[in-house]
Amino acid sequence: MKEIDWSNLSFGYMPTDYNVRCRYRDGAWGEIEVSSSEYINIHMAATCLHYGQEAFEGLKAFRGKDGKIRIFRLEENAARLQSTCRGILMPELSTERFREMMVKVVKLNERFVPPYGTGASLYLRPLLIGTGAQVGVRPANEYLFVVFTTPVGPYFKGGFVATPYVITRKYDRAAPLGTGTFKVGGNYAASLRASMEAHAGGYSAEFYLDAKEKKYMDECGAANFFGIKNNTYVTPLSTSILPSITNKSLMQLAEDMGMKVERRPIPEEELETFEEAGACGTAAVISPILRIDDPEKGKSYVIAKDGKPGPVCEKLYHKLRAIQYGEEPDTYGWTTVVE
């Protein structure tokens, strides 16, 4: 294997040794298969290609100071995938089968789990697609579940630094009662144009307002939003936001720190009152927000007044990572140790 520069990994794809697969046919899931191929052979009329019957998850495995490998909150990822399956009519994979496949794929690719202290991790990408041929708009009768891995560095190149974001009013990520609460590829396709425009403007990412009234903060294309003020952790409550497992974890840690947690609609104007704010998700954990611009309104909400991540963001970020890397006790049973 070519020597990997673990400390300078990007958040990108790098081939590893194996992926694991499981097929759904005749009303039942089959045996777990191990493959070294990076390709999937599917019918040209597969429902994933035509009608978007596709879902995915993202989770990470970390090598701890003690040498053990820990997968973070895989049961939550299993539950979210099951919710998506119910939403777009795909067969659910049991939490037990999901866990078995996550552990197996990590063991098979153990040499790609980055060493402790590099800040890198092994990213796991579970993918479920409708493979049955269908021309009419209806669910497939066959499905493929595949899990591949890749070692990754931080999602944002600068790491844990405060960066600017921009509100987009021209585009919506998802409708209030659409697929926003499910992790389906179509939501991300819908965010590509706004994301590219945000990057071209020098921003880390775009923020969407609620699609119905264009008044309330929704989320980024790939992360949830939270704000800190008056010892309170505030995060949007909306029927179009993906329930972030990182956000859920941060809410619990904020409560442990003696903070109040509020899930409610956040009017755009309230951005002026936050002492700190961040975008959070599996890939970045927390990306502290420097400011949020609204060019169409001619407004700029400066949140990190001194240009640096705030103390609460910093504390939450380091606490969560300490649990992921096994540096602090996992009192909630969030991690699965790969034996």
Side-chain angles (χ1 to χ4, degrees), residues 317-331:
Y317 175 78
H318 290 300
K319 178 78 175 173
L320 187 64
R321 284 176 58 89
I323 294 168
Q324 291 174 331
Y325 283 100
E327 297 163 352
E328 287 197 22
D330 175 21
T331 54

Side-chain angles (χ1 to χ4, degrees), residues 78-313:
R80 191 167 65 180
L81 180 64
Q82 289 155 5
S83 168
T84 299
C85 287
R86 292 190 291 273
I88 61 168
L89 298 185
M90 298 198 292
E92 292 180 43
L93 202 79
S94 72
T95 302
E96 294 67 37
R97 176 64 64 94
F98 187 91
R99 183 188 298 110
E100 187 183 353
M101 291 179 72
M102 296 310 124
V103 170
K104 191 175 189 74
V105 80
V106 170
K107 279 185 174 177
L108 287 167
N109 296 292
E110 191 173 335
R111 70 194 186 104
F112 290 96
V113 181
Y116 173 77
T118 58
S121 54
L122 186 71
Y123 185 76
L124 316 184
R125 171 53 62 87
L127 172 69
L128 176 58
I129 57 173
T131 53
Q134 199 68 265
V135 176
V137 183
R138 61 179 74 92
N141 55 4
E142 293 186 1
Y143 295 83
L144 171 67
F145 182 62
V146 58
V147 189
F148 66 85
T149 67
T150 184
V152 295
Y155 188 74
F156 294 112
K157 285 179 190 157
F160 189 70
V161 295
T163 57
Y165 286 73
V166 64
I167 288 172
T168 177
R169 291 167 170 277
K170 288 193 290 183
Y171 311 109
D172 294 320
R173 176 187 160 273
L177 297 175
T179 58
T181 56
F182 309 128
K183 200 166 174 69
V184 295
N187 295 341
Y188 296 82
S191 75
L192 288 174
R193 189 168 174 185
S195 177
M196 285 293 143
E197 288 181 12
H199 290 153
Y203 298 99
S204 283
E206 77 287 9
F207 264 110
Y208 297 91
L209 299 174
D210 72 290
K212 191 176 182 181
E213 296 182 85
K214 298 282 190 186
K215 284 183 185 174
Y216 303 97
M217 298 299 293
D218 235 37
E219 67 173 322
C220 281
N224 275 194
F225 171 78
F226 70 88
I228 306 290
K229 67 174 182 180
N230 306 327
N231 199 40
T232 305
Y233 182 106
V234 190
T235 193
L237 182 63
S238 158
T239 53
S240 61
I241 289 176
L242 183 74
S244 160
I245 293 160
T246 304
N247 198 4
K248 192 173 181 179
S249 307
L250 293 172
M251 283 188 252
Q252 182 62 64
L253 296 180
E255 278 187 357
D256 293 352
M257 285 161 48
M259 297 180 73
K260 215 173 126 192
V261 171
E262 291 180 0
R263 289 190 69 209
R264 58 171 174 79
I266 301 173
E268 182 189 330
E269 299 72 44
E270 193 177 350
L271 292 175
E272 289 178 324
T273 68
F274 287 120
E275 298 148 22
E276 302 178 40
C280 62
T282 298
V285 184
I286 293 175
S287 174
I289 294 172
L290 176 67
R291 69 175 196 276
I292 300 178
D293 293 345
D294 185 344
E296 288 159 68
K297 231 181 173 184
K299 295 278 289 181
S300 185
Y301 305 94
V302 179
I303 293 166
K305 304 288 191 288
D306 61 356
K308 294 175 189 167
V312 176
C313 281

